[in-house]
Amino acid sequence: MTNVKEKTAKVFEDYQKQARYVGELLRQGNAKYQRIEQWHEQQLIHFMGIVNVSMADLVRAHEEQRLSTLAWVTRNLLELVIWIEFATKSDENAKRFQDDAIKDLYGWAKASIDLEKGQDPAEHKKLSDKMAELEQLAQSRGLGKLGDDYMRVSAVAKELGHDADFAPRFKLCSKFAHPTAWVVRTASSVEADTDVRNMFFDDGVVLAFAALAHLEQRFLAAFPEFKPQDGKN
């Protein structure tokens, strides 16, 4: 067990070192050259933040031997890599992803209204007003009428040429991330699940580093004055 903890700690240390380097590329590069627009800079910072949190969750779940949590976090990282690769491929893609946030919030407000029907008139009006604001914002950005047409990660994976790999990986994670019949049946099989937990952990680590690699490539493309080794320690 000690060796496992030491290995996990070393992996996390290596990840944090690489994350600091990638973060410094953006911070130093854009502060000096200002080649990435502010909205996109914030998007990239938020991507990094979510990957960092996911990596910390992955490590904690591995230490606590939580199979379903490992599967859930690994699935999140799988989706994040797709979104990051998509958004860093072009500014047009980044804007498409940015605009999807409006659609996500609109869908959340609509679902909340459906739950509030006949319960709290004040809350219902508040959410209705929020939906109206989002519709106006969408029109101002040329998005047209809002609906349930946000981008699906599976479609984006296919667009990027990863559908053959993404679909089976996503299904594998989902079988353990959800309370499926198999998960319920094997809920107490902690020792028997060791290999599966290790598999999800290893996959999650690979995905987290892949996410950093896409971000690093984006920053180095924007700031070619920086060399790949700059900032590493």
Side-chain angles (χ1 to χ4, degrees), residues 62-181:
H62 188 243
E63 291 176 344
E64 296 177 356
Q65 300 181 326
R66 297 186 180 277
L67 175 57
S68 291
T69 305
L70 281 165
W72 174 72
V73 176
T74 300
R75 188 181 64 179
N76 285 352
L77 284 165
L78 177 63
E79 294 189 58
L80 275 169
V81 170
I82 295 297
W83 291 128
I84 290 172
E85 180 179 350
F86 175 78
T88 56
K89 200 173 183 67
S90 70
D91 287 348
E92 180 183 356
N93 284 359
K95 289 177 181 176
R96 283 177 61 191
F97 186 79
Q98 185 83 348
D99 288 339
D100 242 34
I102 299 174
K103 299 177 182 179
D104 287 336
L105 187 54
Y106 182 86
W108 174 85
K110 187 176 185 304
S112 298
I113 284 178
D114 290 340
L115 288 174
E116 289 290 340
K117 282 180 178 177
Q119 296 184 37
D120 187 344
E123 185 64 22
H124 188 281
K125 184 179 185 309
K126 178 180 176 182
L127 290 168
S128 296
D129 291 343
K130 173 59 68 175
M131 289 182 68
E133 290 176 10
L134 290 171
E135 288 175 339
Q136 291 178 356
L137 179 60
Q139 291 177 5
S140 70
R141 294 195 179 187
L143 299 180
K145 185 175 178 58
L146 290 177
D148 193 27
D149 60 342
Y150 54 85
M151 291 187 295
R152 263 61 174 182
V153 67
S154 56
V156 174
K158 184 175 182 179
E159 182 179 328
L160 294 172
H162 300 315
D163 51 320
D165 181 67
F166 176 85
R169 283 180 177 273
F170 189 89
K171 179 175 287 188
L172 183 62
C173 290
S174 295
K175 288 296 181 183
F176 289 90
H178 296 298
T180 60

Side-chain angles (χ1 to χ4, degrees), residues 12-13 15 25 42 54 67 81-82 91 94 105 123 132 135 166 178 188-189 200 213 229:
F12 194 35
E13 180 183 346
Y15 171 83
L25 274 180
Q42 286 301 308
S54 297
L67 175 57
V81 170
I82 295 297
D91 287 348
L105 187 54
E123 185 64 22
E135 288 175 339
F166 176 85
H178 296 298
S188 60
S189 306
F200 282 129
Q229 71 271 19

